[in-house]
Amino acid sequence: MATIGAAILCFATGYLFVALAIGEFHFQPDLMFRICLSLGLGEGLFSIVYFLARCFGFMALWRIDFAIFALLLAAYLFSRARRRNVVLSHPIRQFSARGLVTIAFAVALFAALYSATLRFLAHPYGSGWDSFAIWNLHARFLYRGNAHWRDGFTALISWSHPDYPLLLPAAIAHFWTLLGHETPVVPALLGLVFTFAAAGLLVSALDILLGRTSALLGGMALLATPFFIELGTWQYADVPLSFFFLATLVLLHMHRAQFAAGAVDGRLSNGLLALAGITAGLAAWTKNEGVLFLCALLLSRLFVRPDSRPLPSTKSSPRSPGLTPFLLTLLPTFCILLFFKRFIAPAGDLFSTPVSMLHKLEDASRYWAVLKWFGKELFRFGQWLLIPIPLLMLGLFIMLKGKIPREASPAIRASVVALGLTLAGYFFIYLITPYDIYWHLRFSLNRLLLQLWPSAIFLYFLRIGSEPLDFRSNHA
Amino acid sequence: MTSSTSVLWVFIVGCLLSSARLIFDTPRVAHEAQDTALRSGQRFSDLRDALPKAGVVGYLGESGDFALGHYYLTQYALAPLVVDHSSEHAIVIGNFPRSQPAAFPDNLKLVKDFGNGVLLFANKDAN
């Protein structure tokens, strides 16, 4: 009973946040979009609440959670009474998918669910070392430590990466506290939720922005990535991180699409940006790579202005709010992360002395080694059978080239630059790594690429657009 | 069928091949009872009651390929105690799941053998 209550409370908190930001649901893909976003957001918020409760030493979590829920509900009811519900409009009309594409997607979804369930049952404590040596260990320090919870974040056990942010451990500890006992089911279920919420978010976002065919093909590309499904059951933080990367980009593109359509009030526009700020902050609170992504995202907005394309100017068209709502909602999570890094966590292990790093940066053989691994892993990180999906996507792009707009929109360009800069950041970290470079590449590069994979699929289908994949026009 | 439609079907079949991999490979993911038992930390349940609730304890373990994994699992089982990989602490945990050495360092006095290769030592030299 407590398990169900805790899960409902977590989801409802996330859902109310989403509803407060962007109004109520109105049609099918929007409902799925909100549900998937709420699942990830709820877990992120649970994590933040737990961490703050630990810091302030007030652990009456049921009471805190109900108070937050009641406050959000009151705010939601109040705002609902005061305003018209906003319809998330389709900027581009939907196309109906052919039956066989739907069946193929259903097969991919079934295969993913089947595999994830079997893995969940076979390895209730997760797989690989990081699950018990990092994420669940930190969750135990938070949950079991009581007044001594900070003991776990010590350089004495630097191998456990005590500087890693706490989204996953604190969310797990939150559920354990609500349940009153530790159970391996919690981290295992959180992993599954993030895996399928990421897939659902991708499908629903593409459905809203482009149409059903793009959505099903995009979802298929992700669900048919064996390593994505596998890693989702390992109880690592890479899949949750990929969820928040994707959510941030999706929300920024929805903001742009709604803004470009000029059919909505500024409130929805601000709401989407505000949610993007929260998800970007939660990415930084999930793993250190999230901080890199955040910097890349902000930098990309300097290189490419997503709003640079002139919009139809009408009296009712909203003025772009810039990134202010994004930065405002990002700030609280970022301050919490800074507090954790400054006052609780010891220094990280990736940055050695400037002289040593410079020495490594001068070594051309390291560039070649990293480049070779990047080239190799790009087509095999997903553990696909026979034909790597990135290769299939490349082939599809080349074949459809004549129908694809010659130039990508500034918004897509900005997001691609953000992912590119993140990838460049990963490249740089390998160059200066204090560990054996081949060992480091071997045990982490596939996971780093997977973090970006759902976002890459999303941007790929946005770039192609809806028309080249419209079966009706292809068969007309 | 246009060429772009054909390539779309190649894309779909390519994806389904990898989905097939998920279906056919996953049943081979065996339920490793030993791995689950190790991660559950059952071996350390009696030891846990004999240790302080917080603080830092030392660690003495096997050498070899699995040594590091066994140390990490010990820390995982005994959190929120911090298990330092050093015997320079007043309390030292011995973890020898595979083979127990014939002799231990002179400064360590065996306090209790909990079975399954789990031992508790007191360090005579530590303050």
Side-chain angles (χ1 to χ4, degrees):
Chain A
M1 198 63 195
T3 313
I4 296 167
I8 290 173
L9 201 54
C10 177
F11 171 74
T13 306
Y15 191 87
L16 284 174
F17 242 90
V18 174
L20 260 174
I22 54 177
E24 284 189 272
F25 71 85
H26 285 269
F27 49 86
Q28 197 58 38
D30 185 35
L31 176 61
M32 186 173 158
F33 170 73
R34 280 157 197 267
I35 287 173
C36 294
L37 195 58
S38 305
L39 285 168
L41 211 59
E43 289 178 24
L45 296 169
F46 253 37
S47 169
I48 298 278
V49 167
Y50 186 88
F51 179 71
L52 292 177
R54 262 283 169 243
C55 289
F56 289 108
F58 184 69
M59 293 307 292
L61 278 186
W62 277 113
R63 270 189 274 167
I64 295 174
D65 290 342
F66 272 118
I68 291 171
F69 174 76
L71 275 174
L72 285 173
L73 187 65
Y76 169 69
L77 293 174
F78 179 72
S79 68
R80 193 181 169 201
R82 278 172 58 103
R83 66 171 156 143
R84 265 185 318 116
N85 288 328
V86 179
V87 179
L88 267 180
S89 62
H90 285 289
I92 302 163
R93 61 182 288 263
Q94 267 194 293
F95 300 108
S96 59
R98 258 184 143 199
L100 281 175
V101 181
T102 313
I103 293 168
F105 173 80
V107 171
L109 178 62
F110 168 78
L113 283 168
Y114 169 78
S115 173
T117 309
L118 283 195
R119 286 177 188 282
F120 169 84
L121 295 173
H123 296 286
Y125 287 90
S127 299
W129 285 26
D130 287 10
S131 56
F132 68 82
I134 301 175
W135 308 110
N136 293 341
L137 175 63
H138 292 172
R140 282 188 173 181
F141 274 115
L142 288 169
Y143 173 69
R144 293 179 179 178
N146 296 319
H148 300 279
W149 67 274
R150 288 177 184 226
D151 288 2
F153 303 94
T154 164
L156 272 180
I157 47 170
S158 57
W159 50 265
S160 75
H161 298 285
D163 64 306
Y164 279 11
L166 293 177
L167 183 132
L168 203 53
I172 294 167
H174 194 139
F175 278 103
W176 283 345
T177 307
L178 292 183
L179 300 183
H181 66 276
E182 260 181 58
T183 163
V185 173
V186 168
L189 274 181
L190 289 190
L192 285 186
V193 166
F194 271 115
T195 307
F196 288 97
L201 187 66
L202 177 67
V203 171
S204 55
L206 286 174
D207 200 357
I208 291 170
L209 291 169
L210 295 174
R212 191 58 54 87
T213 310
S214 305
L216 295 179
L217 291 173
M220 214 186 301
L222 185 62
L223 291 168
T225 299
F227 189 49
F228 184 76
I229 304 303
E230 195 179 327
L231 193 61
T233 64
W234 279 18
Q235 302 177 20
Y236 280 35
D238 300 283
V239 169
L241 185 64
S242 77
F243 172 89
F244 289 116
F245 283 178
L246 174 69
T248 306
L249 292 184
V250 161
L251 288 162
L252 288 175
H253 279 272
M254 284 200 167
H255 154 71
R256 177 63 196 163
Q258 293 297 319
F259 182 65
V264 293
D265 59 21
R267 190 190 174 100
L268 174 61
S269 195
N270 285 341
L272 288 165
L273 275 181
L275 278 180
I278 293 173
T279 53
L282 290 176
W285 183 236
T286 306
K287 275 196 99 180
N288 288 337
E289 292 94 310
V291 180
L292 177 62
F293 170 75
L294 184 58
C295 296
L297 195 69
L298 295 174
L299 262 179
S300 71
R301 265 52 194 174
L302 293 180
F303 292 134
V304 188
R305 275 190 60 100
D307 296 336
S308 62
R309 183 168 287 181
L311 295 169
S313 169
T314 63
K315 268 185 182 178
S316 62
S317 65
R319 216 179 124 254
S320 170
L323 277 180
T324 311
F326 177 90
L327 294 173
L328 282 177
T329 49
L330 165 72
L331 203 60
T333 316
F334 202 72
C335 287
I336 289 169
L337 178 69
L338 284 182
F339 172 77
F340 169 71
K341 293 278 187 185
R342 174 71 182 82
F343 296 106
I344 295 168
D349 58 344
L350 284 178
F351 298 98
S352 45
T353 61
V355 177
S356 164
M357 288 195 287
L358 203 64
H359 183 68
K360 284 173 177 160
L361 286 173
E362 287 168 352
D363 184 352
S365 69
R366 293 179 75 86
Y367 289 84
W368 180 236
V370 179
L371 206 61
K372 263 196 307 188
W373 272 83
F374 265 67
K376 204 164 55 174
E377 278 298 319
L378 205 59
F379 292 102
R380 66 176 203 188
F381 72 91
Q383 296 174 5
W384 298 285
L385 183 67
L386 295 178
I387 318 169
I389 290 180
L391 205 62
L392 288 170
M393 287 163 70
L394 192 66
L396 188 64
F397 191 86
I398 291 167
M399 291 303 291
L400 297 176
K401 207 158 190 258
K403 296 179 181 175
I404 297 171
R406 282 176 71 86
E407 240 186 90
S409 72
I412 296 175
R413 280 212 306 273
S415 295
V416 170
V417 169
L419 286 196
L421 286 174
T422 309
L423 206 59
Y426 294 167
F427 192 95
F428 175 77
I429 294 295
Y430 283 118
L431 289 178
I432 60 157
T433 179
Y435 300 110
D436 174 70
I437 193 168
Y438 292 103
W439 175 86
H440 204 173
L441 284 161
R442 188 177 162 207
F443 288 107
S444 59
L445 182 57
N446 56 353
R447 287 188 286 115
L448 296 193
L449 292 175
L450 205 74
Q451 292 168 5
L452 305 176
W453 182 229
S455 303
I457 296 172
F458 173 67
L459 294 178
Y460 170 84
F461 280 98
L462 276 192
R463 176 69 183 89
I464 283 188
S466 55
E467 247 169 74
L469 297 174
D470 178 17
F471 278 99
R472 288 184 308 183
S473 65
N474 284 338
H475 284 274
Chain B
M1 194 183 273
T2 62
S3 59
S4 56
T5 312
S6 312
V7 82
L8 202 59
W9 285 113
V10 172
F11 178 86
I12 290 168
V13 171
C15 286
L16 289 180
L17 277 175
S18 291
S19 289
R21 175 177 217 161
L22 278 172
I23 290 183
F24 293 112
D25 278 3
T26 308
R28 289 184 219 148
V29 178
H31 174 80
E32 292 161 23
Q34 196 192 356
D35 183 63
T36 303
L38 277 173
R39 288 172 187 246
S40 71
Q42 285 162 351
R43 285 176 62 237
F44 298 98
S45 56
D46 292 337
L47 170 69
R48 211 177 294 137
D49 298 333
L51 293 170
K53 297 289 172 221
V56 184
V57 295
Y59 180 85
L60 188 67
E62 293 173 349
S63 52
D65 290 348
F66 299 98
L68 206 56
H70 286 304
Y71 163 57
Y72 290 176
L73 283 165
T74 308
Q75 172 62 81
Y76 182 53
L78 299 181
L81 271 179
V82 173
V83 182
D84 185 18
H85 203 316
S86 151
S87 58
E88 303 302 310
H89 293 274
I91 299 169
V92 177
I93 291 154
N95 182 25
F96 303 93
R98 285 161 185 261
S99 60
Q100 206 161 304
F104 297 107
D106 291 340
N107 60 333
L108 295 184
K109 182 188 161 203
L110 181 65
V111 177
K112 193 170 179 182
D113 184 342
F114 290 89
N116 286 324
V118 178
L119 309 166
L120 181 62
F121 296 101
N123 186 340
K124 289 182 274 187
D125 298 341
N127 295 324

